[in-house]
Amino acid sequence: MKVLLLKDAKEDDCGQDPYIRELGLYGLEATLIPVLSFEFLSLPSFSEKLCHPEGYGGLIFTSPRAVEAVDLCLEKDNKAEVWKHSLREKWNAKSVYVVGNATASLVNKIGLDTEGANCGNAEKLAEYICSRESPALPLLFPCGTVKGEILPKMLKDRGIPMESITVYQKIPHPGIQVNLNSYYSKQGVPASITFFSPSGLTYSLKHIQELSGDSIDQIKFAAIGPSTARALTAQGLPVSCLAESPTPSALAEGLRLALQAPRC
């Protein structure tokens, strides 16, 4: 059974994308097509903030891209040694909150300890942060131009100070149309399509509707996260699967139920 995942491929230590491997356990033949590219913004300003951990109560990362922005700051400003010998330790003395294991893994790679990784989305992370002792200093939140308002609102309502800085923006991947055309011509209409973000849905839905035609009613649509599910619903599309967390195992289990796929 063929399924389409609208995300870029990321090899793990085994040299394979974990989503492809996990879905394969259920006999699902997954293909990955990237629908997003990213541009980084305000890196000099972000770099300056990273150099002053004493001004913040901790960090919040809700996407891998925000962690990549840290890497770019350290590379561009030759701050890798300073980070390694002093800044990293100072940030580790504070709370570093993350959403999802993928983001947590990247944060760990830059030497920071994390908490909240098991929170499957920003809303659950906000609940977790609110359950902790409120910091006197603001939490630094590097984010994208299109960020959910739930986390900032929940923290504000609880009187938890937060300072956000926009460090990246999503743009359409230049190969969306060509890659989707190629997939449909070779594989046909997939049994399921998984969207990983509202932006990814926005950039790809028109092409998918045109290529699927009347067969679009046969497709089981899946979403990673409640905001993506809401975006699907707003487009009038049924959500057959909402992954409980942004992980390969959660998506595989959700698609197994939606497609009635047996475990191999």
Side-chain angles (χ1 to χ4, degrees):
M1 198 177 296
K2 300 181 189 301
V3 297
L4 180 58
L5 309 185
L6 299 180
K7 69 178 290 292
D8 56 334
K10 288 198 169 76
E11 292 184 358
D12 59 12
D13 295 337
C14 300
Q16 186 180 29
D17 185 275
Y19 281 91
I20 288 181
R21 183 175 60 252
E22 193 72 25
L23 292 171
L25 296 175
Y26 296 96
L28 300 174
E29 184 183 337
T31 299
L32 308 181
I33 292 181
V35 293
L36 296 176
S37 291
F38 298 89
E39 290 179 343
F40 289 94
L41 312 166
S42 308
L43 292 184
S45 178
F46 184 38
S47 181
E48 181 66 20
K49 294 178 188 299
L50 289 172
C51 289
H52 294 284
E54 70 279 1
Y56 298 96
L59 284 160
I60 301 174
F61 292 106
T62 59
S63 74
R65 233 59 58 187
V67 190
E68 289 177 26
V70 176
D71 264 333
L72 289 173
C73 287
L74 299 181
E75 289 173 10
K76 286 189 174 183
D77 296 338
N78 297 317
K79 288 193 171 76
E81 287 301 310
V82 180
W83 177 265
K84 182 178 178 181
H85 292 112
S86 64
L87 289 177
R88 181 178 62 184
E89 183 179 350
K90 290 176 181 177
W91 280 113
N92 264 333
K94 305 169 185 293
S95 295
V96 180
Y97 299 107
V98 300
V99 168
N101 294 322
T103 302
S105 176
L106 291 175
V107 174
N108 292 153
K109 285 181 180 178
I110 60 174
L112 296 180
D113 301 325
T114 64
E115 52 184 300
N118 291 332
C119 300
N121 55 60
E123 183 175 355
K124 290 181 180 177
L125 180 64
E127 292 172 356
Y128 177 81
I129 295 172
C130 290
S131 73
R132 315 286 287 173
E133 183 178 350
S134 179
L137 296 169
L139 298 171
L140 181 59
F141 177 35
C143 57
T145 50
V146 180
K147 68 177 187 299
E149 294 303 323
I150 292 178
L151 185 145
K153 184 179 186 305
M154 288 180 66
L155 297 190
K156 182 180 179 181
D157 289 347
R158 291 292 295 270
I160 297 174
M162 186 194 76
E163 180 183 322
S164 61
I165 177 171
T166 302
V167 296
Y168 69 91
Q169 65 179 357
K170 297 176 183 177
I171 58 175
H173 190 281
I176 292 176
Q177 188 167 3
V178 170
N179 291 333
L180 283 172
N181 286 346
S182 176
Y183 176 86
Y184 271 78
S185 66
K186 295 175 183 175
Q187 310 279 4
V189 178
S192 173
I193 298 178
T194 300
F195 297 94
F196 285 73
S197 71
S199 298
L201 172 66
T202 299
Y203 298 148
S204 60
L205 182 57
K206 180 183 176 183
H207 303 307
I208 288 169
Q209 289 171 324
E210 290 174 351
L211 290 165
S212 302
D214 294 338
S215 299
I216 196 164
D217 293 336
Q218 302 170 18
I219 300 173
K220 302 286 188 182
F221 291 105
I224 299 291
S227 60
T228 306
R230 286 191 292 269
L232 269 167
T233 302
Q235 292 289 343
L237 297 173
V239 181
S240 299
C241 165
L242 171 56
E244 290 190 358
S245 63
T247 61
S249 58
L251 178 62
E253 181 61 24
L255 287 180
R256 180 187 72 80
L257 294 172
L259 298 170
Q260 297 299 301
R263 187 176 176 90
C264 297

